[in-house]
Amino acid sequence: MRPLPQNTMILYTTKNCDEPYVQIITVGEQDRQGVCSYEDEEPDVLQPKLKNPSHILEDHHIESLVKHLPARIQVHSWRLVYSTAEHGTSLKTLYRRMASIDSPVLLAIKDMDNQQVFGAFSSHPFRVSECCYGTGETFLYTFSPHFSIFRWSGENCYFVKGFLDSLQMGGGGGRFGLWLDADLHQGSSFSCHTFHNVPLLPHHDFTVQELEVWTFEYSKPALV
């Protein structure tokens, strides 16, 4: 059998708890390193258009995040699907507003105590599920104390799991990389095997001040 190129990864995952299927993806060197800190090494890309104002994300947050989204959506416009400021604090409402979406999503959170921004990119929209779902494009990120992303380690495929009373991202070792309760009010972040991340905040537990979920829609971008 001919060996795969060094920048090729075979991704084993499942959909709707059916038999596993295989996806072959090409990754860069930083994708295989797990934790990546980016300040001076980011390539130039187009600034995306936000179709809605954000209560969390400022220009520097967006500029940092867009450079590490999958290339196929970097030029897409960002559309706000769910916001605690506009739609209340309910995980059920979040699921309901995402029921018709079939695209990746970006979760952005600001905590109550330290006003830190952190969250996750999910290859699939959030939903209630009987098993974990998602692909190796999924990652966690934080701007505390500086911008860092935590990509798939390859150790397990516990990317996302949705319950009626909680949302979990990353697992292994008895802890979740990111966890949110049914009211989207309390959460926690611990190191986990899926992403080999550090906690996204200095303290494991946090109280949500604002939470937003963004999806991506194609539109011709403007050069900046």
Side-chain angles (χ1 to χ4, degrees):
M1 180 180 295
R2 187 176 63 182
L4 291 172
Q6 291 184 355
N7 66 337
T8 301
M9 180 182 294
I10 298 178
L11 176 63
Y12 295 90
T13 186
T14 60
K15 184 176 182 181
N16 298 327
C17 300
D18 295 330
E19 290 297 320
Y21 67 91
V22 176
Q23 179 183 6
I24 298 178
I25 59 176
T26 300
V27 297
E29 184 63 30
Q30 70 272 16
D31 297 329
R32 298 192 295 271
Q33 292 175 349
V35 53
C36 307
S37 241
Y38 299 95
E39 292 177 315
D40 301 323
E41 301 177 359
E42 299 175 341
D44 293 331
V45 296
L46 298 173
Q47 178 76 358
K49 175 184 176 182
L50 269 64
K51 293 188 173 182
N52 315 87
S54 175
H55 293 271
I56 300 175
L57 299 174
E58 301 177 8
D59 287 346
H60 72 94
H61 296 131
I62 297 166
E63 290 170 2
S64 296
L65 285 166
V66 70
K67 296 167 186 176
H68 305 290
L69 299 178
R72 69 181 186 279
I73 62 172
Q74 284 186 354
V75 297
H76 288 198
S77 297
W78 295 23
R79 181 173 66 85
L80 187 64
V81 179
Y82 176 84
S83 167
T84 52
E86 297 183 23
H87 307 113
T89 55
S90 168
L91 185 57
K92 290 181 180 179
T93 302
L94 185 153
Y95 290 144
R96 185 170 63 251
R97 292 191 59 82
M98 304 186 76
S100 61
I101 295 174
D102 186 21
S103 66
V105 294
L106 181 79
L107 170 67
I109 302 170
K110 179 185 287 187
D111 78 308
M112 186 76 73
D113 296 330
N114 299 312
Q115 304 291 295
Q116 299 293 335
V117 175
F118 58 99
F121 173 81
S122 174
S123 62
H124 292 67
F126 301 127
R127 64 176 187 269
V128 176
S129 58
E130 295 182 0
C131 58
C132 295
Y133 59 91
T135 74
E137 290 180 330
T138 303
F139 63 79
L140 304 179
Y141 71 88
T142 183
F143 287 89
S144 173
H146 50 74
F147 177 55
S148 298
I149 64 173
F150 304 91
R151 295 190 181 274
W152 179 43
S153 68
E155 191 164 333
N156 62 44
C157 293
Y158 303 153
F159 299 114
V160 187
K161 194 170 192 311
F163 297 90
L164 288 175
D165 61 355
S166 67
L167 178 65
Q168 304 169 359
M169 299 194 68
R175 300 288 189 177
F176 303 113
L178 182 59
W179 178 90
L180 292 163
D181 71 358
D183 297 320
L184 300 178
H185 181 62
Q186 300 292 333
S188 63
S189 176
F190 291 84
S191 177
C192 71
H193 294 171
T194 309
F195 302 109
H196 285 182
N197 60 292
V198 300
L200 303 183
L201 292 175
H203 303 289
H204 296 291
D205 299 321
F206 60 86
T207 301
V208 175
Q209 176 175 306
E210 302 275 0
L211 183 148
E212 296 174 349
V213 181
W214 296 81
T215 190
F216 307 92
E217 298 178 345
Y218 179 77
S219 61
K220 189 175 182 180
L223 291 171
V224 295

